[in-house]
Amino acid sequence: NAGVTQTPKFQVLKTGQSMTLQCAQDMNHEYMSWYRQDPGMGLRLIHYSVGAGITDQGEVPNGYNVSRSTTEDFPLRLLSAAPSQTSVYFCASRGRFDFTEAFFGQGTRLTVV
Amino acid sequence: KQEVTQIPAALSVPEGENLVLNCSFTDSAIYNLQWFRQDPGKGLTSLLLIQSSQREQTSGRLNASLDKSSGRSTLYIAASQPGDSATYLCALSRDSNYQLIWGAGTKLIIKP
């Protein structure tokens, strides 16, 4: 049972480059989301999805795109990387009902130079 | 706007002590609250989930309580061990959609 799988674990980008962070879950969870974690701050929600074909913006969506073509996958795209996007990114998933806990991937440490 | 605060930011205690980590929030209209553990360079592991209608949840040496009227949740760790050293984060959900609002965490060090 793999849970939530994120790739890559580490990435260095040059300013202006684009890339996609991959996230996949095998628990048939409806809800998926992307967070970024910066030092001294709590996690901040970037985008989330409540089901295939449905996405919405979180607290800090600028500079990021998402899509949800399948229940399993929820990729995060950085359109034109900026140093301010240097962070650790986490993908999470949860089932529909309120008593289900959230499961997180291992994170992607992204550095933009 | 809902804000979640965890104080202290860091805590160091000798092995064997019982300890309490605090999480406070400004709006009592929450859906549920979850405690997580984060080890350096690792992802987050869910420890306990408390529904808004519940007062506490227990798992092994861990007990989490929720008092919505005072805007507080506590995570009680009994008989602490060096392996408990990690950062502990609380996060709450304000509705049935997946939007967690996070505290900045408490970094816990258990000294052998």
Side-chain angles (χ1 to χ4, degrees), chain A residues 31-33 35 37 40-45 48 50 59 90 92-94 96 98-102 104-106 109, chain B residues 1 31-32 34 36 38 41-47 49 51 89 93 95-105:
Chain A
Y31 299 157
M32 296 186 74
S33 55
Y35 293 88
Q37 185 179 35
M41 301 180 68
L43 279 73
R44 291 182 292 170
L45 182 65
Y48 67 99
V50 299
E59 181 183 357
F90 289 100
S93 74
R94 182 173 73 83
R96 179 192 306 175
D98 60 0
F99 54 80
T100 60
E101 63 189 88
F104 281 77
Q106 292 296 295
R109 185 173 294 275
Chain B
K1 177 184 176 184
Y31 204 68
N32 57 40
Q34 200 164 351
F36 293 87
Q38 185 176 25
K42 302 286 182 63
L44 291 88
T45 302
S46 177
L47 298 173
L49 171 69
Q51 299 300 323
L89 300 107
S93 178
D95 54 37
S96 59
N97 285 328
Y98 195 83
Q99 293 197 44
L100 289 175
I101 302 169
W102 294 81

Coordinates of all heavy atoms in Angstrom, one line a residue, chain A residues 31-33 35 37 40-45 48 50 59 90 92-94 96 98-102 104-106 109, chain B residues 1 31-32 34 36 38 41-47 49 51 89 93 95-105:
Chain A
Y31 N -10.3 13.8 -2.1 CA -9.7 15.1 -1.8 C -8.2 15.0 -2.0 O -7.6 14.1 -1.4 CB -10.0 15.6 -0.4 CG -11.5 15.8 -0.2 CD1 -12.0 15.8 1.1 CD2 -12.4 16.1 -1.2 CE1 -13.3 16.1 1.4 CE2 -13.7 16.3 -0.9 CZ -14.2 16.3 0.4 OH -15.5 16.5 0.6
M32 N -7.6 15.9 -2.8 CA -6.2 16.0 -2.9 C -5.8 17.5 -2.8 O -6.6 18.3 -3.2 CB -5.6 15.4 -4.1 CG -5.9 13.8 -4.2 SD -5.1 13.1 -5.6 CE -3.4 13.1 -5.1
S33 N -4.6 17.7 -2.3 CA -4.2 19.1 -2.2 C -2.7 19.2 -2.2 O -2.0 18.3 -2.0 CB -4.7 19.7 -0.9 OG -4.3 18.9 0.2
Y35 N 0.5 21.7 -0.7 CA 0.9 22.7 0.3 C 2.4 23.0 0.1 O 3.2 22.2 -0.4 CB 0.8 22.2 1.7 CG -0.6 21.9 2.2 CD1 -1.2 20.7 2.0 CD2 -1.3 22.9 2.9 CE1 -2.5 20.5 2.4 CE2 -2.6 22.7 3.3 CZ -3.2 21.5 3.1 OH -4.5 21.3 3.5
Q37 N 5.7 24.5 2.4 CA 6.2 24.7 3.8 C 7.4 25.5 3.8 O 8.4 25.1 3.2 CB 6.4 23.4 4.5 CG 6.7 23.5 6.0 CD 7.0 22.2 6.7 OE1 7.5 21.3 6.1 NE2 6.5 22.2 8.0
G40 N 9.7 28.4 9.7 CA 9.0 29.2 10.7 C 7.5 29.5 10.4 O 6.9 30.2 11.1
M41 N 7.0 28.9 9.3 CA 5.6 29.1 9.0 C 4.9 27.8 8.9 O 5.5 26.7 8.7 CB 5.5 29.8 7.6 CG 6.2 31.2 7.6 SD 6.1 31.9 5.9 CE 4.3 32.3 5.9
G42 N 3.6 27.9 9.1 CA 2.8 26.7 8.9 C 2.7 26.4 7.4 O 3.1 27.1 6.6
L43 N 2.2 25.2 7.1 CA 1.9 24.9 5.7 C 0.9 25.8 5.2 O -0.1 26.1 5.8 CB 1.5 23.4 5.6 CG 2.6 22.3 5.6 CD1 3.1 22.2 7.0 CD2 2.0 21.0 5.1
R44 N 1.1 26.1 3.9 CA 0.1 27.0 3.2 C -0.5 26.3 2.0 O 0.3 25.7 1.2 CB 0.7 28.3 2.8 CG 1.1 29.2 4.0 CD 1.6 30.5 3.6 NE 3.0 30.4 3.0 CZ 3.6 31.3 2.3 NH1 3.0 32.5 2.2 NH2 4.8 31.1 1.8
L45 N -1.8 26.3 1.8 CA -2.5 25.6 0.8 C -2.3 26.4 -0.5 O -2.6 27.6 -0.7 CB -3.9 25.5 1.1 CG -4.8 24.8 0.1 CD1 -4.4 23.3 0.1 CD2 -6.3 24.9 0.6
Y48 N -6.3 22.8 -4.4 CA -6.8 21.6 -3.9 C -7.9 21.1 -4.9 O -8.3 21.9 -5.8 CB -7.5 21.7 -2.5 CG -8.6 22.6 -2.4 CD1 -9.9 22.1 -2.4 CD2 -8.5 24.0 -2.3 CE1 -11.0 23.0 -2.3 CE2 -9.6 24.9 -2.2 CZ -10.9 24.3 -2.2 OH -11.9 25.2 -2.1
V50 N -11.5 18.4 -5.0 CA -12.4 17.6 -4.3 C -12.9 16.4 -5.1 O -13.8 15.7 -4.7 CB -13.7 18.4 -3.8 CG1 -13.2 19.5 -2.9 CG2 -14.4 19.0 -5.0
E59 N -4.7 29.3 -0.6 CA -4.2 30.6 0.0 C -3.1 31.2 -0.9 O -3.1 32.5 -1.0 CB -3.6 30.3 1.4 CG -3.1 31.5 2.1 CD -2.5 31.2 3.4 OE1 -2.5 30.0 3.8 OE2 -2.0 32.1 4.1
F90 N 4.4 19.7 -0.3 CA 3.7 18.5 0.1 C 2.4 18.3 -0.6 O 1.6 19.2 -0.7 CB 3.5 18.5 1.6 CG 4.7 18.3 2.4 CD1 5.3 19.5 3.0 CD2 5.3 17.1 2.7 CE1 6.4 19.4 3.8 CE2 6.5 17.0 3.4 CZ 7.0 18.1 4.0
A92 N -1.1 16.0 -0.4 CA -1.9 15.3 0.6 C -3.2 14.8 0.0 O -3.7 15.3 -1.0 CB -2.2 16.2 1.8
S93 N -3.7 13.7 0.6 CA -5.0 13.2 0.2 C -5.9 12.8 1.4 O -5.3 12.5 2.4 CB -4.9 12.0 -0.8 OG -4.5 10.9 -0.1
R94 N -7.2 12.8 1.2 CA -8.1 12.4 2.2 C -9.4 11.9 1.6 O -9.8 12.3 0.5 CB -8.4 13.6 3.1 CG -9.3 13.3 4.3 CD -9.4 14.5 5.2 NE -10.3 15.6 4.6 CZ -11.6 15.7 4.7 NH1 -12.3 14.7 5.2 NH2 -12.2 16.7 4.2
R96 N -13.6 11.2 1.6 CA -14.6 12.2 1.6 C -15.2 12.5 3.0 O -15.5 13.7 3.3 CB -15.8 11.7 0.7 CG -17.0 12.6 0.7 CD -18.2 12.0 0.1 NE -17.9 11.4 -1.2 CZ -18.8 10.7 -1.9 NH1 -20.0 10.5 -1.4 NH2 -18.5 10.2 -3.1
D98 N -15.7 13.2 7.0 CA -15.0 14.1 7.9 C -14.1 13.3 8.9 O -13.2 13.9 9.5 CB -15.9 15.0 8.6 CG -16.9 14.3 9.5 OD1 -16.9 13.1 9.5 OD2 -17.7 15.0 10.1
F99 N -14.3 12.0 9.1 CA -13.6 11.3 10.1 C -12.3 10.7 9.5 O -11.5 10.0 10.2 CB -14.4 10.2 10.8 CG -15.1 9.3 9.8 CD1 -14.3 8.2 9.2 CD2 -16.4 9.4 9.4 CE1 -14.9 7.4 8.3 CE2 -17.0 8.6 8.5 CZ -16.3 7.5 7.9
T100 N -12.1 10.9 8.2 CA -10.9 10.3 7.6 C -9.7 11.2 7.8 O -9.8 12.4 7.5 CB -11.1 10.0 6.1 OG1 -11.4 11.2 5.4 CG2 -12.3 9.0 6.0
E101 N -8.6 10.7 8.1 CA -7.4 11.5 8.3 C -6.7 11.8 7.0 O -7.0 11.1 6.0 CB -6.4 10.8 9.3 CG -5.9 9.5 8.7 CD -5.1 8.7 9.7 OE1 -5.7 7.9 10.5 OE2 -3.9 8.9 9.8
A102 N -5.9 12.8 7.0 CA -5.1 13.2 5.9 C -3.8 12.4 5.8 O -3.2 12.1 6.8 CB -4.8 14.7 5.9
F104 N 0.0 12.3 3.8 CA 0.9 13.1 3.1 C 2.0 12.4 2.4 O 2.4 11.3 2.8 CB 1.6 14.1 4.1 CG 0.7 15.3 4.5 CD1 -0.3 15.1 5.3 CD2 0.9 16.5 3.9 CE1 -1.2 16.2 5.7 CE2 0.1 17.6 4.2 CZ -1.0 17.4 5.1
G105 N 2.5 12.9 1.3 CA 3.7 12.4 0.6 C 4.9 12.9 1.4 O 4.8 13.6 2.4
Q106 N 6.1 12.4 0.9 CA 7.3 12.6 1.6 C 7.9 14.0 1.3 O 8.8 14.5 2.0 CB 8.4 11.6 1.2 CG 8.0 10.2 1.7 CD 8.0 10.2 3.2 OE1 9.1 10.4 3.9 NE2 6.9 9.9 3.8
R109 N 11.7 18.9 -2.1 CA 12.5 20.1 -1.8 C 12.9 20.8 -3.0 O 13.7 20.2 -3.8 CB 13.7 19.7 -0.9 CG 14.5 20.9 -0.4 CD 15.5 20.5 0.6 NE 14.9 20.0 1.8 CZ 14.5 20.7 2.9 NH1 14.7 22.0 2.8 NH2 14.0 20.1 3.9
Chain B
K1 N -10.6 35.9 10.2 CA -9.8 34.9 9.6 C -9.3 34.0 10.7 O -8.8 34.4 11.7 CB -8.6 35.6 8.9 CG -7.6 34.6 8.2 CD -6.5 35.4 7.6 CE -5.4 34.4 7.1 NZ -4.2 35.1 6.6
Y31 N -14.3 22.1 11.9 CA -14.9 20.9 11.5 C -14.2 19.7 12.1 O -14.9 18.8 12.6 CB -14.8 20.8 9.9 CG -15.8 19.9 9.3 CD1 -17.1 20.2 9.3 CD2 -15.4 18.7 8.7 CE1 -18.1 19.3 8.7 CE2 -16.3 17.8 8.0 CZ -17.6 18.2 8.0 OH -18.5 17.3 7.4
N32 N -12.9 19.7 12.1 CA -12.1 18.8 12.9 C -10.7 19.3 13.1 O -10.4 20.4 12.5 CB -12.1 17.4 12.2 CG -11.5 17.4 10.8 OD1 -10.6 18.2 10.5 ND2 -12.1 16.6 9.9
Q34 N -6.5 18.1 13.6 CA -5.6 16.9 13.5 C -4.3 17.3 14.0 O -3.8 18.4 13.8 CB -5.6 16.5 12.0 CG -5.1 15.1 11.7 CD -5.5 14.7 10.3 OE1 -6.2 15.4 9.6 NE2 -4.9 13.6 9.9
F36 N -0.2 16.2 13.8 CA 0.7 15.5 12.9 C 2.1 15.6 13.6 O 2.4 16.4 14.4 CB 0.8 16.2 11.6 CG -0.4 16.2 10.7 CD1 -1.4 17.1 10.8 CD2 -0.5 15.2 9.8 CE1 -2.5 17.1 10.0 CE2 -1.7 15.1 9.0 CZ -2.6 16.1 9.1
Q38 N 6.2 15.5 12.3 CA 7.1 15.7 11.1 C 8.5 15.4 11.6 O 9.0 16.1 12.5 CB 7.0 17.0 10.5 CG 7.8 17.2 9.2 CD 7.6 18.5 8.5 OE1 7.2 19.5 9.1 NE2 7.8 18.5 7.2
G41 N 13.3 16.3 7.3 CA 13.4 15.8 5.9 C 12.4 14.8 5.5 O 12.5 14.2 4.4
K42 N 11.4 14.6 6.3 CA 10.4 13.6 6.0 C 9.0 14.3 5.8 O 8.8 15.5 6.1 CB 10.3 12.6 7.2 CG 11.6 11.9 7.4 CD 11.9 10.8 6.4 CE 13.1 10.1 6.7 NZ 13.0 9.3 8.0
G43 N 8.1 13.5 5.4 CA 6.7 14.0 5.3 C 6.0 14.1 6.7 O 6.7 13.9 7.7
L44 N 4.7 14.2 6.6 CA 3.9 14.4 7.9 C 3.2 13.1 8.1 O 2.6 12.5 7.2 CB 3.0 15.5 7.8 CG 3.6 16.9 7.7 CD1 3.9 17.4 6.3 CD2 2.6 17.9 8.4
T45 N 3.2 12.7 9.4 CA 2.4 11.5 9.8 C 1.3 11.9 10.7 O 1.5 12.6 11.7 CB 3.3 10.5 10.5 OG1 4.4 10.2 9.7 CG2 2.6 9.3 10.9
S46 N 0.1 11.5 10.4 CA -1.1 11.8 11.2 C -1.0 11.1 12.5 O -0.7 9.8 12.5 CB -2.4 11.5 10.4 OG -3.5 11.7 11.3
L47 N -1.2 11.8 13.6 CA -1.2 11.1 14.9 C -2.6 10.9 15.4 O -3.0 9.8 15.8 CB -0.4 12.0 15.9 CG 1.0 12.2 15.6 CD1 1.6 13.2 16.6 CD2 1.8 10.9 15.7
L49 N -6.9 12.5 15.1 CA -7.9 13.3 14.5 C -9.1 13.4 15.5 O -9.6 12.4 15.9 CB -8.4 12.7 13.2 CG -9.6 13.4 12.5 CD1 -9.2 14.7 12.0 CD2 -10.1 12.5 11.4
Q51 N -12.9 15.0 15.9 CA -14.0 15.7 15.3 C -14.5 16.8 16.1 O -14.3 16.8 17.4 CB -15.2 14.7 15.1 CG -14.8 13.5 14.1 CD -14.4 14.0 12.8 OE1 -15.0 14.9 12.2 NE2 -13.4 13.3 12.2
L89 N 2.8 19.3 14.6 CA 1.9 20.4 14.0 C 0.5 20.0 14.3 O 0.1 18.9 14.2 CB 2.2 20.5 12.5 CG 3.6 20.8 12.1 CD1 4.3 19.7 11.5 CD2 3.6 22.0 11.1
S93 N -9.6 22.0 10.2 CA -10.4 22.1 9.0 C -11.7 22.9 9.3 O -12.3 22.6 10.3 CB -10.8 20.7 8.4 OG -11.6 20.9 7.3
D95 N -14.3 23.3 7.2 CA -15.5 22.8 6.5 C -15.2 21.4 6.0 O -14.1 20.9 6.2 CB -16.0 23.7 5.4 CG -14.8 24.1 4.5 OD1 -14.0 23.2 4.2 OD2 -14.8 25.2 4.0
S96 N -16.1 20.8 5.3 CA -16.0 19.5 4.8 C -15.1 19.4 3.6 O -14.7 18.3 3.2 CB -17.3 18.9 4.5 OG -18.0 19.7 3.4
N97 N -14.7 20.5 3.0 CA -13.7 20.4 1.9 C -12.3 20.3 2.5 O -12.1 20.6 3.7 CB -13.8 21.7 1.0 CG -15.0 21.6 0.2 OD1 -15.4 20.5 -0.3 ND2 -15.6 22.7 -0.1
Y98 N -11.4 20.0 1.6 CA -10.0 19.8 2.2 C -9.3 21.1 2.3 O -8.5 21.4 1.4 CB -9.3 18.8 1.3 CG -8.1 18.3 2.0 CD1 -8.2 17.2 2.9 CD2 -6.9 18.9 1.8 CE1 -7.1 16.8 3.6 CE2 -5.8 18.4 2.5 CZ -5.9 17.3 3.4 OH -4.8 16.9 4.0
Q99 N -9.5 21.9 3.3 CA -8.7 23.1 3.5 C -8.2 23.1 5.0 O -9.0 23.4 5.9 CB -9.5 24.3 3.2 CG -9.9 24.4 1.8 CD -10.3 25.8 1.4 OE1 -9.7 26.8 1.8 NE2 -11.4 25.9 0.6
L100 N -7.0 22.6 5.2 CA -6.4 22.6 6.5 C -5.7 23.9 6.8 O -5.0 24.4 5.9 CB -5.5 21.5 6.7 CG -6.1 20.1 6.7 CD1 -5.0 19.0 6.7 CD2 -7.0 19.9 7.9
I101 N -5.9 24.4 8.0 CA -5.2 25.7 8.4 C -4.2 25.2 9.5 O -4.6 24.6 10.5 CB -6.2 26.7 8.9 CG1 -7.2 27.0 7.8 CG2 -5.4 28.0 9.4 CD1 -8.4 27.9 8.3
W102 N -3.0 25.6 9.3 CA -1.9 25.0 10.1 C -1.3 26.0 11.1 O -1.2 27.2 10.9 CB -0.8 24.6 9.2 CG -1.2 23.5 8.2 CD1 -1.9 23.6 7.1 CD2 -0.9 22.1 8.4 NE1 -2.0 22.4 6.5 CE2 -1.4 21.4 7.3 CE3 -0.2 21.4 9.3 CZ2 -1.3 20.1 7.1 CZ3 -0.1 20.0 9.1 CH2 -0.7 19.4 8.0
G103 N -0.9 25.4 12.2 CA 0.1 26.1 13.1 C 1.5 25.9 12.6 O 1.7 25.1 11.7
A104 N 2.4 26.7 13.1 CA 3.8 26.6 12.7 C 4.6 25.5 13.3 O 5.7 25.2 12.9 CB 4.5 27.9 13.0
G105 N 4.0 24.8 14.3 CA 4.6 23.7 14.9 C 5.4 23.9 16.2 O 5.8 25.1 16.4

